[in-house]
Amino acid sequence: KAGTFPVDEVVGDTSADTATRRGGALAAVAWLTRAAELSENHEDRSRRIGDAAFIAGHAGLLDQAQQLVHSDGASGRQGSQASVVTSAYVALYEDGDVRSSQRQVLAAVESMRDSGAREPDEVLTRLVNLLLAISQYAGDEAGWEQVHEVLGTLGDLVPPITRIYQDAWGDVVRRGAGVHQRVDRAFADLRDLEPWDVSRLGVAAYHVDTLSRYRPHLQRIVDREVETGAMVTGMTMLHLIMLDQIAVGEWDEAERTGQRCLELTTSHRHALFAHHSRAYLGLLAALRGDVEHARELQAMVDAWARPRGVGFLTQITDTIGTTAALSEGDYEAAYLHAIGITPPGTFTAYAHQAPRTLLDLVEAAIHTGRAEQARAHALAAQQAHLPDISPRLALITHGALAMTTTDPTEADHHFHRAETHPAATYFPHELARIRLAHGIRLRHTQGRKAARQSLTLAAETFERLGARTWSERARAELRAAGAATLTSSAHLAALTWQERRIADLAAGGLTNKEIGERMHLSPRTVSSHLYRVFPKLGITSRAALRDALGKAPGDQSV
């Protein structure tokens, strides 16, 4: 045996650590298993078997994780905790059993606390991180409050990076202040992070809408994670990549990413992640106006998740219902779905979709004659300081305030704040909805000519995204404003979404270096994109961009 794997115990530990950082889950498990076999005492053997079982469980190698735990007999503290972790992973990934797995892991954390732990402990950190992941999927207020209470008693035993997960994954409205800065600092030490912490930080970034900054990190390593056996980390990264592709308007790419993830999750029999993938695909279908397919996926996910208490997914199914109804113009149905997530005028605790659907509830309320409820919800967003939490929440809060006020000066102020927000270009669908509302308001208050620019920009964005029903709505408003066709739409349709974003920023006066910093590209790459944009728009210089894009002088809002 010794000749088969020429390692000693120390080399085994070191090699496993190196393998996990390089994405080699299978290799790490092999190194640790071999090191365990060579261990001189049972304590070291249990520790290494526990480490191997943890990596296998987190990678989604559930059968292997269970075999490792059984091989050690789950004896001693390390073996017992490895057994808890492994059984919780199996219950969560295969069955979506958030209730029993949450109770089991919480009890294990309390047991370690009560045993008198005084120093940070890797086993305790693993249990706490798993508890937070389970709690996120459960989305249950009572469960989260219990978790916060227990973690509060642990003090410095909980590492700072885990505190980021605690604050971001549960209730971002009440605990999200300053999270995006903490995520940014944590990502600065990327080389020191395990792959699963990269994905966990990515989840935190999603909750505060700064995921675009870190997507390049995920894209660089996701294939490696999948190919080397770290399936769960890879699946989570694919979900995050898909979410950012949806956010920035790369919807065709998002569809491909979602389908890839669905194929992986179903082939590995991870029911939780399979339904998670279907939920995001359903949301994308609803955004595109493919409401029949969206509702099929919504029903499938809801029927699986609701009996199990997987609140994270049932909130997404309610969002699918809201989005599909808005796409159809069925505002009453949209309102009923939206208030199922959170009542107007408040944001239900630990409902992660509550702030994300702010604009949905407000629009549905406005269109069903519930002006008071719409205004109360917009003001609640302002009072909760949502603009301080994330750029997307800033955008939609100003949009909601503009849509619901009766004061023309206040409306102009908030429309301007929304449309000129530095991050507005990263959320094109929301920005287009706000511009559509602005154009409608301008047509009624200042006349048809004043409305055309906002309506044109909204219609072009919806058309480019493939949001069919929203595009039709914007075109109808354009016709009402006296514009029979969209200027330059044929040329603009030839641009990719990234090319359009670069062109918009260049037309707004940004240099190639400034554009590159905003989009995480090199100035040379920006220059190459602009070189391809000019012939597509039928122009030969940067100075002609503004007219080609239909932008008014001084407009830097895209």
Side-chain angles (χ1 to χ4, degrees):
K1 270 189 173 181
T4 305
F5 240 91
V7 300
D8 59 22
E9 298 173 49
V10 175
V11 173
D13 290 339
T14 303
S15 299
D17 185 61
T18 301
T20 55
R21 290 176 192 272
R22 293 179 179 174
L26 287 170
V29 171
W31 283 110
L32 285 165
T33 303
R34 180 58 179 154
E37 293 173 355
L38 297 174
S39 298
E40 295 182 355
N41 57 68
H42 186 72
E43 182 180 351
D44 286 342
R45 170 184 163 81
S46 289
R47 176 176 59 79
R48 291 178 176 118
I49 289 293
D51 288 346
F54 165 74
I55 293 171
H58 196 86
L61 308 169
L62 302 180
D63 292 341
Q64 193 167 356
Q66 289 177 306
Q67 290 170 7
L68 286 163
V69 169
H70 293 153
S71 73
D72 192 47
S75 60
R77 184 180 74 102
Q78 181 81 24
S80 176
Q81 303 308 334
S83 178
V84 170
V85 169
T86 301
S87 61
Y89 275 134
V90 171
L92 181 65
Y93 294 155
E94 289 190 348
D95 303 320
D97 186 353
V98 293
R99 297 186 180 103
S100 67
S101 58
Q102 188 177 47
R103 287 194 300 269
Q104 186 180 19
V105 178
L106 183 61
V109 171
E110 290 176 317
S111 175
M112 289 195 69
R113 176 200 62 188
D114 296 342
S115 69
R118 293 291 180 267
E119 298 293 333
D121 184 286
E122 187 173 17
V123 176
L124 178 61
T125 299
R126 290 172 181 172
L127 285 168
V128 170
N129 287 339
L130 177 55
L131 177 61
L132 292 171
I134 296 168
S135 300
Q136 179 179 216
Y137 271 112
D140 173 66
E141 181 177 0
W144 264 112
E145 291 296 342
Q146 191 174 10
V147 168
H148 289 315
E149 181 180 352
V150 171
L151 267 56
T153 66
L154 293 174
D156 292 340
L157 295 177
V158 179
I161 195 169
T162 295
R163 293 294 185 189
I164 295 175
Y165 312 150
Q166 180 184 1
D167 292 337
W169 294 358
D171 190 344
V172 77
V173 173
R174 293 159 183 82
R175 302 178 69 97
V179 165
H180 71 278
Q181 293 98 329
R182 292 158 64 194
V183 170
D184 199 36
R185 288 194 294 270
F187 263 110
D189 298 323
L190 186 64
R191 285 178 294 183
D192 297 327
L193 297 174
E194 303 286 6
W196 42 75
D197 275 320
V198 174
S199 65
R200 287 168 181 157
L201 281 172
V203 175
Y206 159 71
H207 282 292
V208 293
D209 299 302
T210 58
L211 189 54
S212 284
R213 299 182 192 177
Y214 314 112
R215 198 209 319 173
H217 299 312
L218 301 175
Q219 289 178 314
R220 278 197 297 269
I221 62 178
V222 65
D223 290 336
R224 181 195 70 189
E225 294 299 302
V226 172
E227 290 168 5
T228 57
M231 298 307 302
V232 169
T233 302
M235 292 170 189
T236 301
M237 288 181 176
L238 286 173
H239 280 158
L240 292 169
I241 290 168
M242 180 186 184
L243 284 170
D244 192 57
Q245 288 168 334
I246 292 174
V248 303
E250 298 168 1
W251 288 0
D252 289 340
E253 293 88 341
E255 177 78 24
R256 288 191 289 271
T257 302
Q259 289 297 341
R260 178 189 176 190
C261 197
L262 182 58
E263 290 168 7
L264 282 172
T265 56
T266 52
S267 66
H268 286 80
R269 303 189 309 279
H270 291 338
L272 176 68
F273 285 100
H275 284 92
H276 199 157
S277 301
R278 293 186 183 100
Y280 290 150
L281 286 167
L283 186 57
L284 178 58
L287 286 166
R288 285 179 144 168
D290 187 0
V291 295
E292 184 175 351
H293 183 49
R295 288 185 173 130
E296 287 175 1
L297 291 168
Q298 175 193 10
M300 185 183 303
V301 175
D302 199 81
W304 182 87
R306 203 167 292 274
R308 291 170 170 81
V310 187
F312 189 89
L313 295 187
T314 58
Q315 288 175 44
I316 298 176
T317 62
D318 285 337
T319 303
I320 294 171
T322 305
T323 306
L326 284 173
S327 292
E328 287 185 312
D330 186 348
Y331 297 108
E332 183 66 26
Y335 183 77
L336 295 176
H337 277 294
I339 64 174
I341 298 169
T342 190
T346 188
F347 297 93
T348 299
Y350 303 102
H352 78 285
Q353 287 292 320
R356 306 191 77 82
T357 53
L358 162 65
L359 203 61
D360 300 334
L361 194 156
V362 165
E363 284 200 81
I366 290 171
H367 285 282
T368 55
R370 297 178 173 96
E372 184 178 340
Q373 289 91 330
R375 184 61 177 171
H377 206 52
L379 290 173
Q382 185 180 46
Q383 291 158 6
H385 303 289
L386 294 195
D388 297 333
I389 294 171
S390 91
R392 180 182 181 275
L393 293 180
L395 175 67
I396 63 177
T397 297
H398 288 298
L401 289 166
M403 292 178 190
T404 57
T405 184
T406 57
D407 182 343
T409 302
E410 183 184 355
D412 289 343
H413 167 74
H414 285 295
F415 275 126
H416 179 76
R417 289 286 300 275
E419 295 176 43
T420 60
H421 191 281
T425 184
Y426 289 102
F427 309 100
H429 190 255
E430 290 87 344
L431 179 59
R433 288 169 63 179
I434 292 167
R435 281 178 164 156
L436 175 60
H438 193 188
I440 293 170
R441 189 178 190 117
L442 287 171
R443 182 167 65 83
H444 289 297
T445 59
Q446 297 183 28
R448 298 192 303 172
K449 186 175 180 180
R452 289 174 192 165
Q453 182 186 343
S454 292
L455 294 175
T456 297
L457 290 172
E460 288 176 347
T461 299
F462 290 136
E463 182 180 357
R464 185 171 66 253
L465 291 173
R468 178 177 50 81
T469 53
W470 284 97
S471 177
E472 291 170 356
R473 198 170 305 156
R475 285 180 173 278
E477 290 294 336
L478 263 175
R479 288 192 293 272
T485 59
L486 296 177
T487 60
S488 74
S489 61
H491 286 146
L492 293 174
L495 301 183
T496 67
W497 173 240
Q498 189 174 54
E499 288 171 347
R500 176 59 196 262
R501 287 165 68 191
I502 290 171
D504 283 333
L505 293 171
L510 273 66
T511 65
N512 288 359
K513 182 180 179 181
E514 290 168 334
I515 295 169
E517 289 173 350
R518 183 172 294 191
M519 297 185 64
H520 309 287
L521 300 171
S522 71
R524 180 174 294 182
T525 300
V526 173
S527 177
S528 297
H529 279 297
L530 286 173
Y531 183 79
R532 291 192 293 271
V533 163
F534 290 169
K536 289 185 178 182
L537 294 179
I539 60 177
T540 59
S541 71
R542 197 184 192 98
L545 272 173
R546 188 183 300 279
D547 290 337
L549 296 173
K551 293 167 64 68
D555 181 7
Q556 298 183 26
S557 62
V558 289

